[in-house]
Amino acid sequence: MTVLDDRPETAAPAPRRRPNRLLALLRNSWRQLTSMRTALILLFLLAVAAIPGSVLPQRGISPEKVNEYFTDHPDLAPRLDRIGAFEVFGSVWFSAIYLLLFTSLIGCITPRLRDHFRALRSRPPAAPKRLDRLPQHTVLAVPAGGVAAIAEVLRKRRWRVEVRGDEVSAEKGYLKETGNLLFHTSLIAVLIGVALGSWYGWSGNRLLVAGADNAFCNTRQQYAEAKLGPRVDSAELPGFCLRLDDFQARFLASGQPEFFKATVTVDGPDEATRSADFSVNSPLRLNGASVYLLGHGYAPVIRYTDRFGRSQTSTTPFLTTGDTGLTSEGLAAFPDANVDPRTGERAPGLQMAFSGLYLPTAPQQAPFARSEYPTERNPALNLVAYRGNLGLDAGIPGSIYQLDQRQVRTGKVKEVGTKLLRMGETWTLDDGTTVEFLGTQRYVTLSVRHDPGSTLLLVSCGFLLVGLMGSLFGRRRRVFFRVSPADPTEGSPTGGSSLVEAGGLPRTDYPGFADEFAQLVAAVSGDDRAAERAGTGRDGSDRAGAREGTE
């Protein structure tokens, strides 16, 4: 038997759309990235990632120390090099953290800026129905002028006021969120300034000795240490030359520095030769670059006369050892000494070098190991003479301020004597050659820098501090006033006439809101007793933790 189904036909249900998993994953990832928690984690990771750049030598700053690290740690150094430990601030992982932090801050701040702008343009909300349930509440007599008078008092105290019939709503404290957003926006600007300085900035250090023969020009080859950003071409460095003419220093009785000033001659392709002065806190500005004075010292002038009667003069800077008396040590090398003028050949092992300790103010008696004052009151030069193969012809890079101790240990260089020389004295060595201490020249240590993001950094840090102060000390709060008929029951505070019911609500943690509310009520009513009544909440205490769901 066939059963007929006479029920009306219905349309088949539409297939449910399957959610786009990729789109959902991207949406959730973006929400996680732009959360404040993620931004704080990335900021912490950025600080941790910068630690290797401070602990380990970096190629862009000191390639010599990187080579020394490879020599001292032959097994560990290649592994660190593979992860970019010697170029931390240009590595992929540091750049990734930097860009993620930048993106996170922008994604976090943008919607908050939009919401805050809307809140600034919106009106204060209407008063809740039950003002007595707010943390601060009181009842007072209607002031002369009524609602208009209340609104005028609030406006004079810089509250945002909205009048709705017999109600007055007022709000204050947007500075907190404004400061918070200004702080984070300034932090983004700081990151941009750091990036500009890293990409388009450059810097170099140079030691400059006084004298017409020791001019320095702004080329990468003439820097002792140079660091150029990845977007900087060394051929595009601004052209200028400097010559140190004079250096003045003044010290306290204890030897502490009081005043430094360097006088230089500046020569550039686009300007006439001129003289300029600069000091520690007043750098010299040249074609977008700033020349800073970092340090100073003495360069002893030593003349050596070899066995053939040929004289050579060395003016080598001696580096300070770090004491207040400017005790300095250095090396005067004469690799071309003792060359026979007839044959042009030198007997093997006849190169000369003098390792010395210079004392601007030497003690009156031994030991002569430390200067007593940084100015030249009793200058003395304690020299140690070395003769042999200095190793300068091997093409191995080395320091010009220290003797290669490997040559000493292998016996290729031997010590031939020690002598303390006063200025103008001559020392005759065992082979008849002489060395004379002629005097000293002053030198300065310069740092030449160009940072296109420095102005942005300065301005951003200023706004960052202003925003931080607003975020810490701003307090968001609301107050409401409603004029209503009095309660005719016995004991009414106004004796049966109309009254004003006032309520206050702090939107953030604000322990002093009770006192501010009391002062506001007193200003509205002109009654000090009203201020006393308003100083406590409905239950006789400051109820800052009460519900704010009454809004």
Side-chain angles (χ1 to χ4, degrees):
M1 183 177 60
T2 303
V3 179
L4 299 178
D5 188 359
D6 56 356
R7 289 176 298 178
E9 295 183 0
T10 58
R16 298 179 61 184
R17 292 185 177 182
R18 299 181 61 183
N20 191 327
R21 295 183 178 180
L22 178 60
L23 184 61
L25 177 63
L26 293 176
R27 186 186 302 111
N28 293 333
S29 300
W30 176 254
R31 289 175 179 173
Q32 291 294 329
L33 178 62
T34 56
S35 65
M36 185 56 65
R37 177 183 299 178
T38 303
L40 293 175
I41 293 175
L42 289 173
L43 189 61
F44 174 75
L45 289 177
L46 189 70
V48 172
I51 294 177
S54 303
V55 175
L56 298 174
Q58 301 296 296
R59 283 196 177 91
I61 300 176
S62 181
E64 297 84 5
K65 292 185 178 180
V66 174
N67 295 332
E68 292 179 4
Y69 194 91
F70 270 82
T71 303
D72 298 337
H73 306 84
D75 297 329
L76 179 61
R79 299 178 183 178
L80 295 176
D81 193 28
R82 281 195 292 269
I83 62 175
F86 301 109
E87 295 176 316
V88 169
F89 303 106
S91 62
V92 175
W93 47 273
F94 188 87
S95 300
I97 298 175
Y98 192 92
L99 292 176
L100 285 175
L101 175 61
F102 191 80
T103 306
S104 176
L105 287 174
I106 292 179
C108 178
I109 293 174
T110 301
R112 291 179 59 187
L113 282 172
R114 182 177 62 249
D115 295 340
H116 185 58
F117 182 72
R118 291 176 179 174
L120 290 176
R121 300 184 61 185
S122 63
R123 301 185 301 171
K129 294 181 180 179
R130 298 286 302 275
L131 293 180
D132 58 336
R133 302 178 68 178
L134 295 181
Q136 297 298 324
H137 174 262
T138 189
V139 177
L140 59 149
V142 178
V147 172
I150 296 174
E152 184 63 23
V153 171
L154 293 172
R155 290 191 180 97
K156 288 182 178 180
R157 292 175 174 257
R158 297 190 299 275
W159 288 76
R160 295 180 59 200
V161 179
E162 181 68 21
V163 178
R164 297 180 178 90
D166 58 354
E167 295 180 353
V168 179
S169 303
E171 195 169 23
K172 195 175 184 180
Y174 281 97
L175 179 63
K176 182 176 184 64
E177 181 65 10
T178 302
N180 198 354
L181 292 174
L182 180 61
F183 172 82
H184 289 90
T185 304
S186 300
L187 185 59
I188 293 178
V190 167
L191 294 178
I192 295 176
V194 172
L196 288 176
S198 176
W199 292 341
Y200 299 98
W202 56 268
S203 63
N205 296 333
R206 168 68 190 235
L207 190 148
L208 184 60
V209 182
D213 298 332
N214 300 311
F216 153 70
C217 293
N218 187 35
T219 60
R220 184 170 186 174
Q221 292 75 14
Q222 294 200 23
Y223 283 109
E225 296 176 352
K227 180 181 179 182
L228 274 64
R231 301 292 189 273
V232 178
D233 187 357
S234 59
E236 298 178 354
L237 296 180
F240 59 84
C241 296
L242 297 177
R243 184 181 71 245
L244 179 61
D245 298 326
D246 185 32
F247 179 79
Q248 299 178 9
R250 188 167 60 244
F251 300 88
L252 301 175
S254 61
Q256 296 295 327
E258 182 182 12
F259 170 77
F260 293 146
K261 186 179 75 171
T263 302
V264 296
T265 297
V266 182
D267 188 11
D270 300 328
E271 60 179 346
T273 302
R274 60 184 178 91
S275 179
D277 299 333
F278 64 102
S279 59
V280 175
N281 296 321
S282 300
L284 180 62
R285 311 292 184 182
L286 296 173
N287 298 334
S290 299
V291 183
Y292 296 90
L293 181 61
L294 299 184
H296 67 100
Y298 298 94
V301 182
I302 301 173
R303 182 166 61 196
Y304 174 70
T305 304
D306 61 17
R307 62 183 60 189
F308 298 104
R310 301 178 60 183
S311 298
Q312 302 178 41
T313 303
S314 170
T315 305
T316 304
F318 277 33
L319 303 182
T320 59
T321 58
D323 62 355
T324 58
L326 285 185
T327 304
S328 309
E329 57 183 1
L331 178 71
F334 299 92
D336 299 327
N338 298 314
V339 177
D340 191 339
R342 295 171 298 179
T343 62
E345 296 180 356
R346 180 182 58 238
L350 291 182
Q351 292 179 329
M352 292 298 301
F354 299 90
S355 177
L357 189 69
Y358 178 66
L359 311 175
T361 303
Q364 296 299 325
Q365 56 186 3
F368 302 100
R370 183 175 179 179
S371 174
E372 297 179 342
Y373 200 71
T375 60
E376 293 181 321
R377 295 179 175 178
N378 184 27
L381 183 62
N382 196 355
L383 289 180
V384 180
Y386 294 90
R387 183 186 298 123
N389 183 6
L390 301 180
L392 301 178
D393 300 331
I396 301 175
S399 174
I400 64 173
Y401 303 107
Q402 294 180 349
L403 185 66
D404 190 352
Q405 295 300 317
R406 292 174 297 182
Q407 300 296 101
V408 178
R409 290 193 297 267
T410 58
K412 296 180 180 180
V413 173
K414 296 181 179 180
E415 181 181 334
V416 295
T418 304
K419 182 72 173 180
L420 179 69
L421 296 178
R422 304 289 180 176
M423 195 172 295
E425 293 182 349
T426 302
W427 175 25
T428 303
L429 302 180
D430 57 351
D431 60 351
T433 61
T434 61
V435 57
E436 183 180 1
F437 177 30
L438 300 180
T440 60
Q441 289 280 10
R442 300 303 297 265
Y443 75 81
V444 294
T445 305
L446 304 178
S447 177
V448 185
R449 297 179 174 273
H450 171 67
D451 188 355
S454 59
T455 302
L456 179 60
L457 277 174
L458 178 62
V459 175
S460 301
C461 289
F463 280 107
L464 187 144
L465 294 177
V466 172
L468 182 61
M469 294 299 103
S471 177
L472 293 177
F473 299 108
R475 298 291 186 268
R476 184 85 176 273
R477 61 268 197 202
R478 290 173 180 171
V479 292
F480 306 97
F481 294 85
R482 176 183 294 126
V483 178
S484 58
D487 186 358
T489 60
E490 184 178 356
S492 173
T494 58
S497 63
S498 298
L499 53 83
V500 175
E501 188 179 10
L505 173 69
R507 299 297 306 278
T508 57
D509 185 18
Y510 185 13
F513 179 67
D515 294 334
E516 183 182 13
F517 181 77
Q519 296 172 6
L520 189 62
V521 168
V524 169
S525 63
D527 183 5
D528 294 337
R529 290 177 298 175
E532 296 176 0
R533 293 194 302 269
T536 58
R538 176 169 51 89
D539 56 356
S541 62
D542 184 3
R543 296 174 295 114
R547 296 182 303 159
E548 62 177 88
T550 55
E551 293 184 19

